Amino acid sequence: SAVISQKPSRDICQRGTSLTIQCQVDSQVTMMFWYRQQPGQSLTLIATANQGSEATYESGFVIDKFPISRPNLTFSTLTVSNMSPEDSSIYLCSAENGAVGTEAFFGQGTRLTVV
Amino acid sequence: QKEVEQDPGPLSVPEGAIVSLNCTYSNSAFQYFMWYRQYSRKGPELLMYTYSSGNKEDGRFTAQVDKSSKYISLFIRDSQPSDSATYLCAPLGDSNYQLIWGAGTKLIIKP
């Protein structure tokens, strides 16, 4: 199993500012992902964080708005840039080892409110 | 049409009842079917998964997949208040590492 520490757990930010969320895994993992989850809603994949290369973004998400870093096999960051109230959501980091059928582990999430 | 359809609930049942949670999906290529449980203010955690059609049992939980009808079920026997959570079904997509998430069903077990 893998334990994921995600920081901060929550934040209230002013519109127009940026917030960087950190995700630390206690073991090396192949795949790391960033999701957004509105309260009471399902998970929407933002991007796959690739170690040593640019992240792979899903439709509707762009690097300028959600820059992602993954410098090694245990750590990734997601930045929410130039925030607006529409960015208020829960952001979740996930990790798995890429073999078919293996478990995806999740951090506790970052609850972001933009005012 | 969404790839995975799941009734968001809430589903409220008395303690001890048998609970049935369901999803339908559209892509016949899905082979792995995951069930995740998410408690309030926590990230999802894997409950169990099945491969292809059939049943899989783990304690009070049974996962069932019928590929002919593209129907996924999770049964909980002798439900407990601690089972109150949101249950998300998530088939594994064609890429074999990207999960396709249902909306999640919020389950409430009343003492």
Side-chain angles (χ1 to χ4, degrees):
Chain A
S1 66
V3 177
I4 299 179
S5 300
Q6 190 174 334
K7 292 191 284 190
S9 58
R10 56 171 43 193
D11 207 340
I12 301 173
C13 300
Q14 297 290 324
R15 68 177 67 199
T17 63
S18 298
L19 175 72
T20 295
I21 304 167
Q22 298 182 1
C23 178
Q24 178 73 57
V25 189
D26 70 345
S27 59
Q28 292 187 346
V29 290
T30 307
M31 317 294 298
M32 292 185 75
F33 305 93
W34 288 97
Y35 288 90
R36 184 167 70 185
Q37 185 179 33
Q38 302 285 1
Q41 303 287 321
S42 190
L43 287 78
T44 300
L45 182 64
I46 297 172
T48 302
N50 301 309
Q51 195 263 327
S53 64
E54 195 172 283
T56 305
Y57 289 85
E58 297 300 306
S59 177
F61 298 97
V62 295
I63 187 171
D64 290 347
K65 176 67 175 177
F66 298 101
I68 288 171
S69 78
R70 190 171 172 200
N72 56 51
L73 292 175
T74 64
F75 186 78
S76 179
T77 66
L78 168 75
T79 299
V80 186
S81 303
N82 188 24
M83 288 183 285
S84 65
E86 292 71 36
D87 295 319
S88 298
S89 189
I90 299 166
Y91 292 84
L92 287 155
C93 168
S94 174
E96 59 183 88
N97 274 321
V100 172
T102 57
E103 179 174 354
F105 299 93
F106 285 84
Q108 290 207 165
T110 297
R111 187 173 293 263
L112 171 63
T113 303
V114 184
V115 297
Chain B
Q1 182 191 8
K2 291 182 182 178
E3 284 196 276
V4 180
E5 299 274 4
Q6 186 177 11
D7 187 338
L11 175 63
S12 182
V13 301
E15 182 177 355
I18 296 175
V19 175
S20 174
L21 303 167
N22 308 294
C23 292
T24 58
Y25 63 94
S26 57
N27 190 337
S28 58
F30 292 157
Q31 294 282 11
Y32 286 87
F33 303 89
M34 317 294 196
W35 281 98
Y36 280 78
R37 178 175 61 193
Q38 185 175 23
Y39 290 111
S40 179
R41 299 180 181 272
K42 301 284 187 182
E45 56 182 355
L46 182 66
L47 188 60
M48 60 194 303
Y49 74 91
T50 55
Y51 173 73
S52 194
S53 283
N55 294 356
K56 185 174 184 178
E57 189 173 317
D58 184 359
R60 296 185 294 111
F61 298 87
T62 299
Q64 191 173 77
V65 176
D66 181 348
K67 291 196 72 181
S68 62
S69 59
K70 301 191 184 71
Y71 198 80
I72 314 165
S73 300
L74 178 71
F75 300 97
I76 307 175
R77 292 185 299 280
D78 187 24
S79 56
Q80 306 293 313
S82 59
D83 296 327
S84 298
T86 297
Y87 291 80
L88 301 110
C89 63
L92 202 58
D94 293 351
S95 67
N96 286 334
Y97 62 80
Q98 188 166 317
L99 293 164
I100 312 299
W101 296 90
T105 299
K106 183 173 184 178
L107 175 65
I108 301 169
I109 307 297
K110 298 176 293 184

Short mmCIF file of all heavy atoms in Angstrom, two decimals, chain B residues 23-56:
data_model
loop_
_atom_site.label_atom_id
_atom_site.label_comp_id
_atom_site.label_asym_id
_atom_site.label_seq_id
_atom_site.Cartn_x
_atom_site.Cartn_y
_atom_site.Cartn_z
N CYS B 23 -24.40 0.39 -10.78
CA CYS B 23 -23.90 1.26 -11.85
C CYS B 23 -24.16 0.58 -13.18
O CYS B 23 -24.19 -0.65 -13.25
CB CYS B 23 -22.40 1.50 -11.73
SG CYS B 23 -21.87 2.46 -10.32
N THR B 24 -24.31 1.39 -14.21
CA THR B 24 -24.30 0.87 -15.56
C THR B 24 -23.18 1.56 -16.32
O THR B 24 -22.76 2.66 -15.96
CB THR B 24 -25.64 1.12 -16.28
OG1 THR B 24 -25.90 2.53 -16.30
CG2 THR B 24 -26.77 0.41 -15.57
N TYR B 25 -22.67 0.89 -17.34
CA TYR B 25 -21.59 1.47 -18.13
C TYR B 25 -21.83 1.20 -19.59
O TYR B 25 -22.64 0.35 -19.97
CB TYR B 25 -20.23 0.92 -17.67
CG TYR B 25 -20.06 -0.57 -17.87
CD1 TYR B 25 -19.44 -1.08 -19.01
CD2 TYR B 25 -20.50 -1.47 -16.91
CE1 TYR B 25 -19.27 -2.43 -19.21
CE2 TYR B 25 -20.33 -2.83 -17.09
CZ TYR B 25 -19.72 -3.31 -18.23
OH TYR B 25 -19.56 -4.67 -18.40
N SER B 26 -21.12 1.92 -20.44
CA SER B 26 -21.42 1.85 -21.87
C SER B 26 -20.33 1.15 -22.69
O SER B 26 -20.61 0.64 -23.77
CB SER B 26 -21.63 3.27 -22.43
OG SER B 26 -20.48 4.07 -22.19
N ASN B 27 -19.11 1.10 -22.17
CA ASN B 27 -18.00 0.56 -22.95
C ASN B 27 -17.80 -0.92 -22.68
O ASN B 27 -17.37 -1.31 -21.60
CB ASN B 27 -16.72 1.34 -22.61
CG ASN B 27 -15.57 1.02 -23.54
OD1 ASN B 27 -15.54 -0.02 -24.16
ND2 ASN B 27 -14.63 1.94 -23.63
N SER B 28 -18.10 -1.75 -23.65
CA SER B 28 -18.00 -3.20 -23.48
C SER B 28 -16.56 -3.67 -23.33
O SER B 28 -16.32 -4.83 -22.98
CB SER B 28 -18.66 -3.92 -24.66
OG SER B 28 -18.06 -3.52 -25.87
N ALA B 29 -15.59 -2.79 -23.56
CA ALA B 29 -14.18 -3.19 -23.44
C ALA B 29 -13.69 -3.19 -21.99
O ALA B 29 -12.64 -3.76 -21.69
CB ALA B 29 -13.30 -2.25 -24.27
N PHE B 30 -14.44 -2.60 -21.08
CA PHE B 30 -14.02 -2.59 -19.67
C PHE B 30 -13.92 -4.01 -19.16
O PHE B 30 -14.78 -4.85 -19.40
CB PHE B 30 -15.01 -1.81 -18.80
CG PHE B 30 -15.05 -0.33 -19.06
CD1 PHE B 30 -16.18 0.40 -18.72
CD2 PHE B 30 -13.98 0.34 -19.61
CE1 PHE B 30 -16.23 1.77 -18.94
CE2 PHE B 30 -14.02 1.70 -19.83
CZ PHE B 30 -15.16 2.42 -19.50
N GLN B 31 -12.83 -4.28 -18.41
CA GLN B 31 -12.63 -5.63 -17.87
C GLN B 31 -12.52 -5.62 -16.34
O GLN B 31 -12.87 -6.59 -15.69
CB GLN B 31 -11.34 -6.24 -18.44
CG GLN B 31 -11.40 -6.52 -19.94
CD GLN B 31 -12.18 -7.78 -20.26
OE1 GLN B 31 -12.85 -8.35 -19.42
NE2 GLN B 31 -12.08 -8.22 -21.51
N TYR B 32 -11.96 -4.55 -15.78
CA TYR B 32 -11.79 -4.43 -14.33
C TYR B 32 -12.80 -3.42 -13.80
O TYR B 32 -12.97 -2.35 -14.38
CB TYR B 32 -10.38 -3.98 -13.97
CG TYR B 32 -9.34 -5.05 -14.13
CD1 TYR B 32 -8.72 -5.26 -15.36
CD2 TYR B 32 -8.97 -5.85 -13.06
CE1 TYR B 32 -7.77 -6.25 -15.52
CE2 TYR B 32 -8.01 -6.84 -13.20
CZ TYR B 32 -7.42 -7.03 -14.44
OH TYR B 32 -6.47 -8.01 -14.59
N PHE B 33 -13.41 -3.78 -12.68
CA PHE B 33 -14.45 -2.93 -12.12
C PHE B 33 -14.16 -2.74 -10.64
O PHE B 33 -14.18 -3.69 -9.85
CB PHE B 33 -15.83 -3.58 -12.33
CG PHE B 33 -16.12 -3.85 -13.78
CD1 PHE B 33 -15.75 -5.06 -14.36
CD2 PHE B 33 -16.74 -2.89 -14.57
CE1 PHE B 33 -16.00 -5.31 -15.71
CE2 PHE B 33 -16.99 -3.13 -15.91
CZ PHE B 33 -16.62 -4.33 -16.48
N MET B 34 -13.92 -1.49 -10.28
CA MET B 34 -13.54 -1.16 -8.91
C MET B 34 -14.70 -0.53 -8.16
O MET B 34 -15.54 0.15 -8.74
CB MET B 34 -12.39 -0.13 -8.91
CG MET B 34 -11.28 -0.38 -9.91
SD MET B 34 -10.36 -1.86 -9.54
CE MET B 34 -8.90 -1.59 -10.53
N TRP B 35 -14.72 -0.77 -6.87
CA TRP B 35 -15.62 -0.04 -5.97
C TRP B 35 -14.76 0.69 -4.94
O TRP B 35 -13.94 0.06 -4.26
CB TRP B 35 -16.59 -0.98 -5.26
CG TRP B 35 -17.73 -1.39 -6.10
CD1 TRP B 35 -17.87 -2.55 -6.82
CD2 TRP B 35 -18.94 -0.64 -6.34
NE1 TRP B 35 -19.08 -2.57 -7.48
CE2 TRP B 35 -19.75 -1.41 -7.20
CE3 TRP B 35 -19.42 0.61 -5.91
CZ2 TRP B 35 -21.00 -0.96 -7.64
CZ3 TRP B 35 -20.66 1.04 -6.34
CH2 TRP B 35 -21.43 0.26 -7.20
N TYR B 36 -14.93 1.98 -4.86
CA TYR B 36 -14.24 2.80 -3.88
C TYR B 36 -15.27 3.33 -2.87
O TYR B 36 -16.41 3.61 -3.21
CB TYR B 36 -13.53 3.98 -4.55
CG TYR B 36 -12.21 3.60 -5.16
CD1 TYR B 36 -12.16 2.95 -6.39
CD2 TYR B 36 -11.02 3.88 -4.51
CE1 TYR B 36 -10.95 2.59 -6.95
CE2 TYR B 36 -9.80 3.52 -5.06
CZ TYR B 36 -9.78 2.88 -6.28
OH TYR B 36 -8.57 2.52 -6.83
N ARG B 37 -14.80 3.48 -1.65
CA ARG B 37 -15.62 4.07 -0.58
C ARG B 37 -14.96 5.37 -0.16
O ARG B 37 -13.74 5.43 0.02
CB ARG B 37 -15.71 3.10 0.60
CG ARG B 37 -16.48 3.61 1.79
CD ARG B 37 -16.61 2.51 2.84
NE ARG B 37 -15.31 2.06 3.33
CZ ARG B 37 -15.12 0.96 4.04
NH1 ARG B 37 -16.15 0.19 4.34
NH2 ARG B 37 -13.92 0.63 4.44
N GLN B 38 -15.77 6.39 0.00
CA GLN B 38 -15.25 7.69 0.39
C GLN B 38 -16.04 8.22 1.58
O GLN B 38 -17.23 8.52 1.46
CB GLN B 38 -15.31 8.69 -0.77
CG GLN B 38 -14.67 10.03 -0.47
CD GLN B 38 -14.63 10.96 -1.67
OE1 GLN B 38 -15.42 10.82 -2.60
NE2 GLN B 38 -13.72 11.91 -1.66
N TYR B 39 -15.36 8.34 2.70
CA TYR B 39 -15.96 8.96 3.86
C TYR B 39 -15.87 10.48 3.71
O TYR B 39 -15.00 11.00 2.99
CB TYR B 39 -15.27 8.51 5.14
CG TYR B 39 -15.54 7.07 5.51
CD1 TYR B 39 -14.54 6.11 5.44
CD2 TYR B 39 -16.80 6.65 5.93
CE1 TYR B 39 -14.77 4.78 5.78
CE2 TYR B 39 -17.05 5.33 6.26
CZ TYR B 39 -16.02 4.41 6.18
OH TYR B 39 -16.27 3.09 6.51
N SER B 40 -16.73 11.17 4.45
CA SER B 40 -16.77 12.61 4.35
C SER B 40 -15.40 13.21 4.68
O SER B 40 -14.75 12.81 5.66
CB SER B 40 -17.83 13.16 5.32
OG SER B 40 -17.90 14.55 5.27
N ARG B 41 -14.96 14.13 3.85
CA ARG B 41 -13.70 14.85 4.03
C ARG B 41 -12.46 13.95 3.97
O ARG B 41 -11.41 14.25 4.55
CB ARG B 41 -13.71 15.66 5.33
CG ARG B 41 -14.80 16.70 5.35
CD ARG B 41 -14.80 17.51 6.63
NE ARG B 41 -15.89 18.48 6.61
CZ ARG B 41 -15.80 19.70 6.11
NH1 ARG B 41 -14.66 20.12 5.61
NH2 ARG B 41 -16.82 20.52 6.12
N LYS B 42 -12.61 12.83 3.28
CA LYS B 42 -11.47 11.93 3.06
C LYS B 42 -11.37 11.62 1.58
O LYS B 42 -12.32 11.83 0.81
CB LYS B 42 -11.68 10.60 3.82
CG LYS B 42 -11.85 10.74 5.31
CD LYS B 42 -10.52 11.02 5.97
CE LYS B 42 -10.68 11.00 7.49
NZ LYS B 42 -9.39 11.32 8.17
N GLY B 43 -10.19 11.11 1.17
CA GLY B 43 -10.06 10.64 -0.20
C GLY B 43 -10.68 9.26 -0.35
O GLY B 43 -10.88 8.53 0.63
N PRO B 44 -11.02 8.86 -1.57
CA PRO B 44 -11.57 7.51 -1.79
C PRO B 44 -10.55 6.43 -1.42
O PRO B 44 -9.34 6.64 -1.54
CB PRO B 44 -11.87 7.48 -3.28
CG PRO B 44 -11.90 8.91 -3.72
CD PRO B 44 -10.95 9.63 -2.82
N GLU B 45 -11.05 5.28 -1.01
CA GLU B 45 -10.20 4.12 -0.75
C GLU B 45 -10.83 2.90 -1.42
O GLU B 45 -12.05 2.75 -1.45
CB GLU B 45 -10.04 3.88 0.76
CG GLU B 45 -11.34 3.71 1.50
CD GLU B 45 -11.15 3.50 2.99
OE1 GLU B 45 -10.00 3.40 3.45
OE2 GLU B 45 -12.17 3.43 3.70
N LEU B 46 -9.96 2.05 -1.95
CA LEU B 46 -10.45 0.87 -2.66
C LEU B 46 -11.13 -0.09 -1.70
O LEU B 46 -10.56 -0.48 -0.68
CB LEU B 46 -9.29 0.17 -3.37
CG LEU B 46 -9.68 -1.05 -4.19
CD1 LEU B 46 -10.57 -0.65 -5.37
CD2 LEU B 46 -8.43 -1.78 -4.69
N LEU B 47 -12.35 -0.47 -2.05
CA LEU B 47 -13.10 -1.44 -1.26
C LEU B 47 -12.87 -2.86 -1.81
O LEU B 47 -12.51 -3.76 -1.10
CB LEU B 47 -14.58 -1.07 -1.28
CG LEU B 47 -15.53 -1.81 -0.37
CD1 LEU B 47 -15.13 -1.64 1.08
CD2 LEU B 47 -16.95 -1.30 -0.59
N MET B 48 -13.09 -3.02 -3.08
CA MET B 48 -12.86 -4.28 -3.74
C MET B 48 -12.97 -4.10 -5.25
O MET B 48 -13.43 -3.07 -5.72
CB MET B 48 -13.84 -5.35 -3.27
CG MET B 48 -15.29 -5.05 -3.49
SD MET B 48 -16.38 -6.17 -2.54
CE MET B 48 -15.86 -7.79 -3.12
N TYR B 49 -12.49 -5.10 -5.98
CA TYR B 49 -12.64 -5.04 -7.43
C TYR B 49 -12.87 -6.43 -7.99
O TYR B 49 -12.55 -7.43 -7.37
CB TYR B 49 -11.44 -4.37 -8.09
CG TYR B 49 -10.18 -5.20 -8.15
CD1 TYR B 49 -9.91 -6.01 -9.26
CD2 TYR B 49 -9.24 -5.15 -7.13
CE1 TYR B 49 -8.76 -6.76 -9.32
CE2 TYR B 49 -8.09 -5.90 -7.20
CZ TYR B 49 -7.84 -6.69 -8.29
OH TYR B 49 -6.69 -7.43 -8.36
N THR B 50 -13.47 -6.48 -9.18
CA THR B 50 -13.71 -7.73 -9.87
C THR B 50 -13.16 -7.64 -11.28
O THR B 50 -12.98 -6.55 -11.84
CB THR B 50 -15.21 -8.06 -9.95
OG1 THR B 50 -15.89 -6.96 -10.56
CG2 THR B 50 -15.80 -8.30 -8.58
N TYR B 51 -12.89 -8.80 -11.82
CA TYR B 51 -12.41 -8.89 -13.19
C TYR B 51 -13.46 -9.63 -14.01
O TYR B 51 -13.92 -10.71 -13.61
CB TYR B 51 -11.09 -9.63 -13.25
CG TYR B 51 -10.63 -9.90 -14.67
CD1 TYR B 51 -10.14 -8.88 -15.46
CD2 TYR B 51 -10.71 -11.18 -15.21
CE1 TYR B 51 -9.73 -9.11 -16.76
CE2 TYR B 51 -10.30 -11.43 -16.51
CZ TYR B 51 -9.81 -10.38 -17.28
OH TYR B 51 -9.41 -10.61 -18.57
N SER B 52 -13.87 -9.02 -15.11
CA SER B 52 -14.84 -9.60 -16.03
C SER B 52 -16.16 -9.88 -15.31
O SER B 52 -16.47 -9.27 -14.29
CB SER B 52 -14.26 -10.85 -16.68
OG SER B 52 -15.04 -11.23 -17.79
N SER B 53 -16.95 -10.79 -15.81
CA SER B 53 -18.25 -11.07 -15.20
C SER B 53 -18.10 -11.99 -14.01
O SER B 53 -17.12 -12.74 -13.90
CB SER B 53 -19.18 -11.73 -16.23
OG SER B 53 -19.69 -10.78 -17.13
N GLY B 54 -19.07 -11.95 -13.11
CA GLY B 54 -19.07 -12.84 -11.98
C GLY B 54 -19.18 -12.11 -10.67
O GLY B 54 -19.40 -10.91 -10.62
N ASN B 55 -19.05 -12.88 -9.59
CA ASN B 55 -19.18 -12.36 -8.23
C ASN B 55 -17.85 -12.44 -7.50
O ASN B 55 -17.02 -13.30 -7.77
CB ASN B 55 -20.19 -13.18 -7.44
CG ASN B 55 -21.59 -13.04 -7.96
OD1 ASN B 55 -21.85 -12.28 -8.89
ND2 ASN B 55 -22.50 -13.80 -7.39
N LYS B 56 -17.69 -11.54 -6.55
CA LYS B 56 -16.55 -11.60 -5.64
C LYS B 56 -17.04 -11.19 -4.27
O LYS B 56 -17.70 -10.16 -4.13
CB LYS B 56 -15.43 -10.68 -6.10
CG LYS B 56 -14.17 -10.78 -5.25
CD LYS B 56 -13.07 -9.94 -5.87
CE LYS B 56 -11.78 -10.08 -5.11
NZ LYS B 56 -10.69 -9.29 -5.74
#
